Amino acid sequence: MSTRVTVWHEYRHEKKNPKVAEIYPKGMHEAIASHLRNNKDLQVKTATLDEVDHGLGGDLLDNTDVIVWWGHVAHGDVKDEIVNKVHERVLQGMGIVVLHSGHFSKIFKKLMGTTCDLKWREDDNEREILWVTRPGHPIVEGIDDHFILPNEEMYGEYFDIPEPECTWMMSSFTGGEVFRSGCTWTRGAGKVVYFRPGHETFPTYYDKNVLKIIENAVKWAAPSAGSVAHTFGNRKMGWVDEK
Amino acid sequence: MSTRVTVWHEYRHEKKNPKVAEIYPKGMHEAIASHLRNNKDLQVKTATLDEVDHGLGGDLLDNTDVIVWWGHVAHGDVKDEIVNKVHERVLQGMGIVVLHSGHFSKIFKKLMGTTCDLKWREDDNEREILWVTRPGHPIVEGIDDHFILPNEEMYGEYFDIPEPECTWMMSSFTGGEVFRSGCTWTRGAGKVVYFRPGHETFPTYYDKNVLKIIENAVKWAAPSAGSVAHTFGNRKMGWVDEK
Amino acid sequence: MSTRVTVWHEYRHEKKNPKVAEIYPKGMHEAIASHLRNNKDLQVKTATLDEVDHGLGGDLLDNTDVIVWWGHVAHGDVKDEIVNKVHERVLQGMGIVVLHSGHFSKIFKKLMGTTCDLKWREDDNEREILWVTRPGHPIVEGIDDHFILPNEEMYGEYFDIPEPECTWMMSSFTGGEVFRSGCTWTRGAGKVVYFRPGHETFPTYYDKNVLKIIENAVKWAAPSAGSVAHTFGNRKMGWVDEK
Amino acid sequence: MSTRVTVWHEYRHEKKNPKVAEIYPKGMHEAIASHLRNNKDLQVKTATLDEVDHGLGGDLLDNTDVIVWWGHVAHGDVKDEIVNKVHERVLQGMGIVVLHSGHFSKIFKKLMGTTCDLKWREDDNEREILWVTRPGHPIVEGIDDHFILPNEEMYGEYFDIPEPECTWMMSSFTGGEVFRSGCTWTRGAGKVVYFRPGHETFPTYYDKNVLKIIENAVKWAAPSAGSVAHTFGNRKMGWVDEK
């Protein structure tokens, strides 16, 4: 049974910044999607901000099991009605994998209930070391106890998120900062993943460890096949003896 | 050092329903506030929906350490700008104690990131038994391992909330339902408490156990006196060696 | 890829109590195992207390992905060296599904770090209603928002366990008690499940909902196929630049 | 109302290693205890391994609200009966603050249910930067968003602990490792704190930030004054209507 994945991308940097366009000629979403397509259990689509309804209209969300989300400079351009639809779908069971600067997206802040703010720095000499802090978690399947990204943007604590249900990866940076780089939460029936790396000016989404983790996260966040809808609202006294 | 408490109340039922007005002639907020005023470490104010800015304007919120919140029929009448101010203050460290039907308030849903929906029933023969599930927690200080409310509205699971950091009380009802009646979360520097009992047609806010728990919750949710502001944003490489 | 399951059972009641023997002529372990064997992705073995090394010797544990554990009157007869081996295997990634009176087993107490004590009552008129409190969780796949066991032993809070990472099921009983009946924790790389029902004098392990949940729990608790061993101990300065 | 603190120390390094003795002429326990004694709300005692019953005999534990624990080379010399008594007292509500190499103590492993293993390195050029990851938590009251220890032993992830209920501090080290340096859990009615710094060959327990955090942790881990004992065991049907 395959998992239907939609990779959503802001897709603005590539159009304006030649450096980004050179690294990701088809956009960051295609770098991610093309990796996911190698997994025959995944059905992969992409959607971007400047499409009609941000590419998320019609029944696409209803037919999406897991959405991957990258945004940065245009969080404010995402329409609230679309954010609300994504939010509703997550509570119903659709998984969401929020990447890097997606920490400031409307949908992530709405799911977290906090500012999701952090410290940051762009520096050409910043090295990120990512450490596994929950070996055995399906999201770090096949990942060594650490891996290194030679160049990345720094994100530093305090990261204003609710205490994660699981912190499965933490980073250190050249400058001495630390960050909870891999976290999960549950909202309603939906699983929420945050994974830190992916600054647009570095080829992070070609790194085999990063891609493997995104792929693992998509599989982990997929809804259970046989989920039963829960019910809310008014109920009569005596229901239990009428059965 | 005293804790500054604001008891916020929708205060609509009392004005329209004679049954509620008879039980709470000065409003439910006064029943709660008058109990809290017995504690000399607490400075207690009240605020209600139909006051200017819902009684929460000026610098009141900036001078509130813990807010208690009861609402039911008029959640939609609470202005978003006030909700946002309360939210911001919670993230800065102001505690919030959400009571009963406040589960559907804008502020609680914004803090939780979920629908906060549930099952419910009003029945004159509903008895609630509340069980302590985290003995030793400061919020259940002085409370026996259970207590009984002879008449209450039923709330039943599934309660659509993020997994609580601590579930310190659970209820059973005559009809056979169960509910997580006492829960806590952290959002930013602020502590969030949900406590279930308090339907407007029953004298719940005169019950000594209920009042004791609200008082304990207010004390527990108060911010640390010496909290240091955290910082976000851009930082230079090399900061650590410049010190 | 199949999951290797070992259903471990104390298997003493059936030998001494005719009522239990009548309900479970081949033992409770066989009632559970025979259901699991219907799932072709599971390879199912059983082991019992009075076998050599409690049936867990040789390399059985090394070749077990998930162990199911039921014990009651003879927890003290389980040898510490076997308990330690099970514990070690859980930390390495073997899942464990602890059932009913297994709450007082050496292995569960060792994993929890607490007494795991609770309230209880055997009464012929006790009905248990089990409510789903985390819809969408793989362990409650295919389960309605509640189900009823017409006769069960009562377990009541306070249940002395560490705060669960997820509480996916809660029960109410005829007597008015409540209980966290479905809980999960992580210990090392291993997943730990507790599931309440299963008193020996009732035919609980023939109930389709109970069996479905045990089957789901076994699948959920299975280790990731591609887990990478983590390392501990002394490391040199400068390792990162030597790569 | 004062909190009764017992600072327990292995006190072996100081007797054998002149370097340690020079830094801590009266022992590490005295460095910590003498700071705590400045707080008039704390009644401070010390106890050490080589005293009778490790200094924890008689009714000392029954009259201790919070115990601070430092051990390293002699964890195995601590008698199991004393460990069990400390464990029992924690479940009853006594707080415990485990420091540095106490991560491998019998009592911490018993409370956690895991190996509590980690990576480590002693190097004269190791600098630890400790970052606050839960601003507003009482344990980091008065602490800036980070502080630096110019020389410390490195501890690195994976740290084999159950997912903390709150991770309020994380460290980075010169070598690029990260560590969850400040964590809390609840076990029964007792609060458990782990705080990383404190290698015996460095003057860490004279650092004002480290001392402030230990003092805060002691205050936070103290039991509630009015805790009510919980009950376990058999209960009759019909109790609720007999009231």
Side-chain angles (χ1 to χ4, degrees), chain D residues 68-85:
Chain D
V68 177
W69 197 277
W70 197 103
H72 185 204
V73 289
H75 294 311
D77 293 354
V78 181
K79 288 183 283 188
D80 285 343
E81 63 178 279
I82 299 293
V83 173
N84 291 341
K85 183 71 193 295

Side-chain angles (χ1 to χ4, degrees), chain A residues 119 145 161 163 167 172 176, chain D residues 119 134 145 161 163 167 172 176:
Chain A
K119 298 182 176 74
D145 75 343
I161 48 172
E163 208 69 24
T167 301
S172 73
Chain D
K119 299 182 175 74
R134 184 51 60 198
D145 74 344
I161 47 172
E163 207 69 22
T167 301
S172 73

Side-chain angles (χ1 to χ4, degrees), chain A residues 119 129 131-135 145 157-158 160-167 170-172 175-180, chain D residues 119 129 131-135 145 157-158 160-167 170-172 175-180:
Chain A
K119 298 182 176 74
I129 313 176
W131 298 91
V132 170
T133 51
R134 183 50 62 197
D145 75 343
E157 297 278 348
Y158 169 61
D160 183 22
I161 48 172
E163 208 69 24
E165 294 169 23
C166 180
T167 301
M170 284 164 38
S171 297
S172 73
E177 286 86 358
V178 295
F179 198 74
R180 287 170 288 181
Chain D
K119 299 182 175 74
I129 313 177
W131 298 90
V132 170
T133 52
R134 184 51 60 198
D145 74 344
E157 297 279 347
Y158 168 62
D160 183 22
I161 47 172
E163 207 69 22
E165 295 169 21
C166 181
T167 301
M170 285 164 39
S171 296
S172 73
E177 287 86 358
V178 295
F179 198 74
R180 288 169 287 182

Side-chain angles (χ1 to χ4, degrees), chain C residues 15-16 34 38 63 70 96-97 106 109 123 166 243:
Chain C
K15 298 171 183 169
K16 295 179 181 172
S34 69
N38 295 331
N63 292 303
W70 197 103
I96 184 166
V97 178
K106 287 181 179 179
K109 292 195 286 187
D123 187 291
C166 180
K243 293 216 170 185

Side-chain angles (χ1 to χ4, degrees), chain D residues 6-237:
Chain D
T6 299
V7 179
W8 189 89
H9 181 35
E10 187 180 277
Y11 200 24
R12 290 268 177 93
H13 287 289
E14 293 89 335
K15 297 171 183 169
K16 294 179 181 173
N17 184 338
K19 184 177 177 184
V20 180
E22 189 180 343
I23 301 172
Y24 296 108
K26 296 181 182 176
M28 300 170 89
H29 54 305
E30 280 299 328
I32 295 168
S34 68
H35 172 79
L36 297 179
R37 287 191 192 104
N38 295 329
N39 184 328
K40 297 309 173 196
D41 293 333
L42 305 180
Q43 292 180 32
V44 184
K45 293 184 178 178
T46 63
T48 56
L49 180 63
D50 294 324
E51 295 175 65
V52 175
D53 288 335
H54 314 323
L56 299 173
D59 59 358
L60 179 64
L61 285 170
D62 291 328
N63 292 304
T64 294
D65 295 314
V66 182
I67 194 166
V68 177
W69 197 277
W70 197 103
H72 185 204
V73 289
H75 294 311
D77 293 354
V78 181
K79 288 183 283 188
D80 285 343
E81 63 178 279
I82 299 293
V83 173
N84 291 341
K85 183 71 193 295
V86 174
H87 184 249
E88 183 186 7
R89 283 286 299 134
V90 170
L91 300 188
Q92 289 168 357
M94 181 180 75
I96 183 166
V97 178
V98 176
L99 297 176
H100 191 62
S101 43
H103 75 91
F104 252 174
S105 63
K106 289 181 178 179
I107 181 61
F108 189 59
K109 292 196 285 187
K110 189 177 180 73
L111 287 162
M112 295 292 103
T114 56
T115 68
C116 304
D117 209 344
L118 45 75
K119 299 182 175 74
W120 58 274
R121 174 177 55 241
E122 291 186 60
D123 188 289
D124 287 342
N125 295 305
E126 194 91 62
R127 176 181 61 197
E128 179 176 12
I129 313 177
L130 299 102
W131 298 90
V132 170
T133 52
R134 184 51 60 198
H137 194 293
I139 296 184
V140 293
E141 190 176 304
I143 305 298
D144 201 359
D145 74 344
H146 74 280
F147 67 95
I148 299 174
L149 295 174
N151 294 100
E152 250 297 342
E153 183 182 9
M154 183 280 288
Y155 278 7
E157 297 279 347
Y158 168 62
F159 182 20
D160 183 22
I161 47 172
E163 207 69 22
E165 295 169 21
C166 181
T167 301
W168 41 271
M169 188 156 272
M170 285 164 39
S171 296
S172 73
F173 294 88
T174 302
E177 287 86 358
V178 295
F179 198 74
R180 288 169 287 182
S181 288
C183 304
T184 59
W185 300 263
T186 310
R187 290 292 180 270
K191 292 175 184 167
V192 181
V193 179
Y194 178 76
F195 183 44
R196 199 210 77 82
H199 191 58
E200 66 272 8
T201 60
F202 301 114
T204 298
Y205 292 130
Y206 297 111
D207 181 89
K208 67 177 178 160
N209 285 301
V210 169
L211 289 171
K212 175 69 171 161
I213 287 172
I214 295 172
E215 180 185 348
N216 288 344
V218 163
K219 290 192 288 182
W220 180 82
S224 292
S227 290
V228 172
H230 43 285
T231 59
F232 295 122
N234 192 213
R235 10 187 329 117
K236 290 185 183 172
M237 184 68 90

Side-chain angles (χ1 to χ4, degrees), chain B residues 20-37:
Chain B
V20 180
E22 190 181 340
I23 300 173
Y24 297 108
K26 294 181 180 175
M28 302 171 86
H29 53 304
E30 278 302 325
I32 294 168
S34 69
H35 172 79
L36 296 179
R37 288 191 191 103

Side-chain angles (χ1 to χ4, degrees), chain A residues 4-205:
Chain A
R4 301 162 300 175
V5 189
T6 299
V7 179
W8 190 88
H9 181 35
E10 187 180 280
Y11 200 24
R12 290 268 177 93
H13 287 290
E14 293 90 336
K15 298 170 183 170
K16 294 179 180 171
N17 184 339
K19 183 177 177 184
V20 181
E22 190 181 341
I23 300 173
Y24 296 109
K26 295 180 181 175
M28 301 171 87
H29 54 306
E30 279 301 327
I32 294 168
S34 68
H35 172 79
L36 296 179
R37 288 192 192 102
N38 295 331
N39 184 327
K40 297 309 176 195
D41 293 334
L42 304 180
Q43 292 180 32
V44 183
K45 293 184 179 177
T46 62
T48 56
L49 178 64
D50 293 325
E51 295 175 66
V52 175
D53 288 335
H54 314 322
L56 299 173
D59 60 358
L60 179 65
L61 285 171
D62 291 328
N63 292 302
T64 294
D65 295 314
V66 182
I67 194 166
V68 177
W69 196 277
W70 197 103
H72 185 202
V73 290
H75 294 309
D77 292 355
V78 181
K79 288 182 285 187
D80 286 342
E81 62 177 280
I82 298 294
V83 173
N84 291 341
K85 184 71 192 294
V86 174
H87 184 250
E88 183 185 8
R89 283 286 298 133
V90 170
L91 299 188
Q92 289 168 357
M94 181 179 76
I96 184 166
V97 179
V98 176
L99 297 176
H100 192 62
S101 43
H103 75 91
F104 252 175
S105 63
K106 287 181 179 178
I107 182 60
F108 189 59
K109 293 195 286 187
K110 188 176 180 75
L111 287 162
M112 295 293 103
T114 56
T115 68
C116 304
D117 209 344
L118 45 75
K119 298 182 176 74
W120 60 274
R121 174 177 55 241
E122 292 186 60
D123 188 291
D124 287 342
N125 295 306
E126 192 93 62
R127 175 180 63 195
E128 178 176 11
I129 313 176
L130 299 100
W131 298 91
V132 170
T133 51
R134 183 50 62 197
H137 195 293
I139 296 184
V140 293
E141 190 177 304
I143 305 297
D144 200 359
D145 75 343
H146 74 281
F147 67 95
I148 299 175
L149 295 174
N151 293 101
E152 252 295 343
E153 183 182 9
M154 181 282 286
Y155 278 7
E157 297 278 348
Y158 169 61
F159 182 20
D160 183 22
I161 48 172
E163 208 69 24
E165 294 169 23
C166 180
T167 301
W168 42 270
M169 188 156 272
M170 284 164 38
S171 297
S172 73
F173 294 88
T174 303
E177 286 86 358
V178 295
F179 198 74
R180 287 170 288 181
S181 287
C183 304
T184 59
W185 301 262
T186 310
R187 289 293 179 270
K191 292 173 184 167
V192 181
V193 180
Y194 178 77
F195 182 44
R196 200 211 75 83
H199 192 58
E200 67 272 7
T201 59
F202 301 115
T204 298
Y205 293 130

